[in-house]
């Protein structure tokens, strides 16, 4: 995985960012699996606030959004 900035690429992978994205994707997969009765129950089980859980789910969608945005970009 690499973070592309402008026309170049970041020289080093940010371990914190990679870890956060991995956690976000894992959280989204748990969310979609539907093992909890509610978002509040899932947040409680994971020991996070509900708004942080929402941030993780939105972050997990970033790759899909970036791919569709890039495909529709006039420069491509």
């Amino acid at each position: 995985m690499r973070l592309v900035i402008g026309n170049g690429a970041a020289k080093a992978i940010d371990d914190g960012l990679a870890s956060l994205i991995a956690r976000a994707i894992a959280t989204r997969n748990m969310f979609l699996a539907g093992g909890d009765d509610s978002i509040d129950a899932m947040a409680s089980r994971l020991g996070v606030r509900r708004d942080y859980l929402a941030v993780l789910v939105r972050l997990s969608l970033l790759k899909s959004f970036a791919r569709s945005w890039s495909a529709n970009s006039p420069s491509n």
Side-chain angles (χ1 to χ4, degrees):
M1 172 189 325
R2 71 180 182 175
L3 176 62
V4 176
I5 301 171
N7 292 328
K11 291 187 173 89
I13 295 174
D14 183 315
D15 291 335
L17 179 59
S19 176
L20 182 61
I21 292 171
R23 182 174 185 181
I25 291 169
T27 300
R28 180 192 64 200
N29 291 340
M30 286 186 281
F31 179 73
L32 294 175
D36 294 294
D37 292 336
S38 67
I39 292 173
D40 290 326
M42 183 176 178
S44 178
R45 180 175 58 82
L46 295 174
V48 298
R49 291 185 356 216
R50 180 184 179 165
D51 58 339
Y52 181 69
L53 181 67
V55 167
L56 288 176
V57 172
R58 283 188 295 241
L59 179 62
S60 74
L61 301 173
L62 184 61
K63 182 178 177 183
S64 299
F65 173 75
R67 186 180 305 134
S68 67
W69 180 78
S70 176
N72 295 320
S73 171
S75 62
N76 286 340

